[in-house]
Amino acid sequence: MEPGSPKRPFETAPTIKQVADVARVSRATVSRAFGAPHLLRRDTVESVRAVAERLGYVPNHIARALSTGRTGNIALVVPDITNAFFAALMRGAQAKARDAGYATFVGDSDETPELEDMLLTKLAAQVEGFVLVSPRLSQERIKHHAARRALVLVNSDIADLSRLLIDTKPSYERAVEHLASLGHGAVAYLAGPDLSWSNGQRAAAVSDAARRLSLRVVDVPTSRPSFEAGRACVACLLEAGVTAALAFDDVVAQGIVAGLAERGVMVPRDFSVVGCDGVIATTNFPPLTSIDVGCLSAGQRAVDLLMNILKDPTTAGQRIDLPADFIIRASTGPAQKLAAEQQS
Amino acid sequence: MEPGSPKRPFETAPTIKQVADVARVSRATVSRAFGAPHLLRRDTVESVRAVAERLGYVPNHIARALSTGRTGNIALVVPDITNAFFAALMRGAQAKARDAGYATFVGDSDETPELEDMLLTKLAAQVEGFVLVSPRLSQERIKHHAARRALVLVNSDIADLSRLLIDTKPSYERAVEHLASLGHGAVAYLAGPDLSWSNGQRAAAVSDAARRLSLRVVDVPTSRPSFEAGRACVACLLEAGVTAALAFDDVVAQGIVAGLAERGVMVPRDFSVVGCDGVIATTNFPPLTSIDVGCLSAGQRAVDLLMNILKDPTTAGQRIDLPADFIIRASTGPAQKLAAEQQS
DNA sequence: TTGTAGGCGTTATCAA
DNA sequence: TTGATAACGCCTACAA
């Protein structure tokens, strides 16, 4: 270390007082130049801001928060950052929050209720609100947290709480119809997490549509929605004699396609696969027939909702349903003759 | 643009003063009962804590931060959350920070220097340190930020700043050797962002190794490392007469594979592709021959480094090189005869 | 339109 | 071992 170096290793940020002194105004004026410029003369605002700029002054979030009770922070809590669906959602949410002047904490719960609970608890003191995505936590605990902080749920349906639900049911039904029309008589559904609302919805949609169309459905559980899980269940799929599979999401679908390819089963010639999410459906070969849930805009909408609640708490508690689009690409095709005959 | 209204529909937390009054001690004593109990008599601590418990008192994080200058927060700034490499890195970093008792802000700079600068500036007041991943910002501005807050760089080499460099050079060289040994006489390098240190390193490695082995190299620029960019340059690759391509990362590599497949060019039979990152190399068919950079542990290491600096600022400024592994999977194979003949 | 002064909830520095 | 009091940096009535 340099001799005579300052006790603090880092430069200390300029304060409102320093700006005030240099600009020859009061601290209140500096404060207003940033927080309420309409109360000041134009040139006052400009000169103060110029000085601030020159000094590198930025209003201190913490001090402001202490004074106003508003932190200007929100937190995003998701089961797995590396999942493309959550990542895209976070991207939209984070950008929206930034535009609204909010900074964003992120919490990865690693798919566990305990970590989720812990994150919600510890972050609460520093945020104005939460966006809780696909929670694995109990209703009771979620309500507990919602009672002390604004909270928007994504893909979790709890009465009286603000929630954004991506409605994939019609799309999964259309997907089943699509497969039926291609001559598939037996299909599989590769499930997502038990605790997931989305999974419940999707499983029900497949089951309902299949019953209606007299298709046979095989339900295949997976430990966790992953490429590996999809790949691992291929043997099971082929054994079950199905000619098509609907997956909980695109990651699982990709795994299925890869697992099939390894065994020389070509998609869509020999087997059809349907995914869900829409982020990575197009970054696959063949491009996946999939359900586009518009995760980016879902993230934005969730933050919109949260911002509304922060502005007017009486708007809390509403339910918003977002549509999803079934999009036919190249991973589905006519049922293979052989397999079709097996059914009849 | 303004943070929400001040009125709070949520339970308001008790303050230190309320606890002090009820416990019939001073605020200082309450503070010490939590922050420095060894300075107090045992029964004092107990009685104060009992009262606090009864009232549901929890020390206010914000007020404490203002007073001590310690926020217990760090920030992660990355070019693109949805990129699998960054997502995995964030996951590792976030988990490590959580274990160390820190909360994590996340900033997505959308690959732009301006946003990056803005995030660094606005977040500075609320964090004790930054992990800045693959910055697109100028050295000058980075140094500016590093002067006021602890900062760890990932994949950016600026002297005197703490930095974690994932050394992919030997691996790219090995990749070129691998291709040469398979009979490829002309290869392409699909570049990443101009401002990226990683890209510079990788381009140089390919160029050096190719010169040494007398291979022809075609450099193909891309706007942004994306699936689409990889897919779009396939025409260019085929025109250039190369039989193999090394991509800046796995996403681009996936795009190339898909683009080739669309034209009936099979990988690795007709064309070889090498990626980099290792996150999604295995979630592709065929699994990509790729360079595994261990992003998850890189995230952990980066936070380790940051925590060390926070504990002892004199440890700042060190450079850590992390090795990367070249892994041969199924996207590379012998050069196609026809193409090979074209070369001779 | 601008300045003054008190307060936000804690911690840190002195005294006692 | 405890208490009084001054920061911490900002916002916001209230005054001017």
Side-chain angles (χ1 to χ4, degrees):
Chain A
M1 281 272 107
E2 301 282 320
S5 77
K7 202 170 186 180
R8 303 186 180 212
F10 300 106
E11 296 172 14
T12 127
T15 73
I16 204 171
K17 182 168 189 330
Q18 300 178 34
V19 178
D21 290 349
V22 174
R24 298 172 165 272
V25 295
S26 71
R27 291 173 307 172
T29 299
V30 177
S31 175
R32 288 192 269 256
F34 287 90
H38 56 278
L39 295 178
L40 258 37
R41 266 174 33 216
R42 244 223 165 81
D43 54 336
T44 308
V45 174
E46 280 166 12
S47 73
V48 169
R49 286 201 177 156
V51 171
E53 169 88 5
R54 186 151 57 77
L55 266 49
Y57 168 78
V58 178
N60 182 314
H61 242 80
I62 305 256
R64 172 180 284 179
L66 182 59
S67 178
T68 62
R70 280 179 268 114
T71 59
N73 296 330
I74 66 168
L76 253 42
V77 178
V78 303
D80 181 358
I81 310 185
T82 63
N83 180 301
F85 167 69
F86 297 128
L89 193 146
M90 286 173 54
R91 182 155 222 245
Q94 194 260 172
K96 196 77 178 184
R98 176 172 43 67
D99 290 346
Y102 280 77
T104 306
F105 279 106
V106 64
D108 181 316
S109 73
D110 198 24
E111 303 266 6
T112 67
E114 295 74 23
L115 250 180
E116 201 172 300
D117 205 20
M118 197 260 244
L119 287 166
L120 254 11
T121 304
K122 300 201 72 169
L123 251 17
Q126 304 194 71
V127 303
E128 292 179 42
F130 288 100
V131 173
L132 181 54
V133 188
S134 301
R136 314 303 191 212
L137 200 55
S138 70
Q139 278 212 13
E140 189 194 3
R141 291 300 298 164
I142 293 177
K143 282 181 175 166
H144 166 84
H145 292 294
R148 45 209 75 204
R149 278 286 176 276
L151 189 152
V152 170
L153 290 167
V154 175
N155 282 353
S156 174
D157 188 13
I158 300 181
D160 302 329
L161 296 192
S162 303
R163 54 214 192 277
L164 191 73
L165 300 170
I166 303 177
D167 186 12
T168 53
K169 197 161 196 296
S171 291
Y172 267 90
E173 289 173 354
R174 281 205 49 208
V176 174
E177 289 164 11
H178 167 66
L179 292 174
S181 75
L182 288 169
H184 295 275
V187 303
Y189 173 69
L190 267 85
D194 282 342
L195 301 167
S196 147
W197 173 85
S198 303
N199 183 55
Q201 197 204 32
R202 295 169 195 183
V206 171
S207 162
D208 290 355
R211 185 176 309 115
R212 183 156 46 77
L213 299 163
S214 307
L215 295 199
R216 183 161 65 88
V217 174
V218 178
D219 270 301
V220 181
T222 63
S223 52
R224 182 172 172 151
S226 67
F227 182 88
E228 216 25 69
R231 191 162 157 277
C233 71
V234 163
C236 164
L237 289 180
L238 296 175
E239 243 174 59
V242 302
T243 54
L246 299 106
F248 170 72
D249 70 14
D250 284 339
V251 182
V252 175
Q254 277 192 337
I256 298 174
V257 173
L260 289 168
E262 284 166 18
R263 293 160 185 264
V265 181
M266 298 305 291
V267 172
R269 197 194 61 189
D270 310 321
F271 201 98
S272 290
V273 176
V274 176
C276 182
D277 280 354
V279 205
I280 54 175
T282 55
T283 69
N284 191 71
F285 189 82
L288 297 173
T289 292
S290 178
I291 288 147
D292 187 345
V293 298
C295 20
L296 201 92
S297 67
Q300 297 175 334
R301 288 294 299 272
V303 169
D304 273 341
L305 213 54
L306 184 57
M307 295 295 135
N308 285 340
I309 296 173
L310 293 178
K311 283 204 188 70
D312 176 10
T314 64
T315 66
Q318 59 178 306
R319 165 186 171 142
I320 292 188
D321 286 88
L322 244 43
D325 292 328
F326 176 58
I327 298 176
I328 298 174
R329 296 200 184 83
S331 65
T332 48
Q336 200 190 11
K337 278 238 177 58
L338 186 65
E341 278 163 4
Q342 285 178 344
Q343 296 308 316
S344 56
Chain B
M1 294 290 162
E2 287 299 302
S5 83
K7 62 175 171 178
R8 301 182 137 202
F10 302 102
E11 307 165 10
T12 142
T15 72
I16 203 170
K17 183 169 189 328
Q18 300 177 34
V19 178
D21 290 349
V22 174
R24 297 172 167 272
V25 295
S26 70
R27 292 172 303 171
T29 299
V30 178
S31 175
R32 290 193 267 255
F34 287 90
H38 56 280
L39 295 178
L40 258 37
R41 265 173 35 214
R42 205 170 223 138
D43 54 336
T44 310
V45 173
E46 280 167 14
S47 74
V48 169
R49 285 202 179 155
V51 171
E53 170 86 5
R54 185 152 56 79
L55 267 47
Y57 168 79
V58 178
N60 181 313
H61 199 105
I62 305 264
R64 173 178 283 179
L66 182 60
S67 181
T68 61
R70 242 171 289 117
T71 60
N73 297 148
I74 66 166
L76 253 43
V77 178
V78 303
D80 181 358
I81 310 184
T82 64
N83 180 302
F85 166 69
F86 297 127
L89 193 146
M90 286 173 55
R91 182 155 223 244
Q94 193 260 176
K96 197 75 179 184
R98 175 172 43 66
D99 291 345
Y102 280 76
T104 305
F105 279 106
V106 65
D108 181 317
S109 73
D110 198 24
E111 303 266 6
T112 68
E114 295 75 21
L115 251 179
E116 201 173 298
D117 205 19
M118 196 260 242
L119 288 166
L120 253 11
T121 303
K122 300 199 72 170
L123 250 18
Q126 304 195 77
V127 303
E128 292 179 43
F130 288 100
V131 173
L132 180 54
V133 188
S134 300
R136 313 304 190 210
L137 200 54
S138 69
Q139 279 212 12
E140 189 194 3
R141 292 299 298 163
I142 293 177
K143 282 181 176 167
H144 166 85
H145 292 295
R148 45 208 74 203
R149 278 283 175 278
L151 188 152
V152 170
L153 290 167
V154 176
N155 281 353
S156 174
D157 187 14
I158 300 180
D160 301 331
L161 296 192
S162 302
R163 54 214 192 277
L164 193 72
L165 300 170
I166 304 176
D167 185 14
T168 54
K169 195 158 195 296
S171 291
Y172 267 90
E173 289 173 354
R174 280 204 51 204
V176 173
E177 289 163 11
H178 167 66
L179 292 174
S181 75
L182 288 168
H184 295 274
V187 303
Y189 174 68
L190 268 86
D194 281 342
L195 302 168
S196 146
W197 173 85
S198 303
N199 182 56
Q201 197 203 32
R202 295 170 195 183
V206 171
S207 162
D208 290 354
R211 185 175 310 116
R212 184 157 45 79
L213 298 163
S214 307
L215 294 199
R216 184 161 65 88
V217 174
V218 178
D219 269 301
V220 181
T222 62
S223 52
R224 182 172 172 152
S226 67
F227 182 88
E228 216 26 70
R231 192 164 157 277
C233 72
V234 163
C236 165
L237 288 181
L238 296 176
E239 243 174 61
V242 301
T243 55
L246 299 106
F248 171 72
D249 69 14
D250 284 339
V251 182
V252 175
Q254 277 193 337
I256 298 174
V257 173
L260 289 169
E262 284 166 19
R263 293 159 186 264
V265 181
M266 299 305 291
V267 172
R269 197 195 59 190
D270 310 321
F271 202 98
S272 290
V273 176
V274 177
C276 183
D277 280 355
V279 206
I280 55 175
T282 54
T283 70
N284 190 70
F285 190 83
L288 298 174
T289 292
S290 178
I291 289 147
D292 187 344
V293 298
C295 20
L296 200 92
S297 66
Q300 297 175 333
R301 287 295 298 272
V303 169
D304 273 340
L305 215 52
L306 185 56
M307 295 295 137
N308 285 340
I309 296 174
L310 293 178
K311 282 203 191 74
D312 175 10
T314 64
T315 66
Q318 59 178 306
R319 164 185 173 145
I320 292 188
D321 286 89
L322 246 42
D325 291 327
F326 176 58
I327 298 176
I328 299 174
R329 296 201 184 83
S331 65
T332 47
Q336 199 191 10
K337 279 237 176 57
L338 187 63
E341 278 161 5
Q342 284 177 349
Q343 295 308 317
S344 56

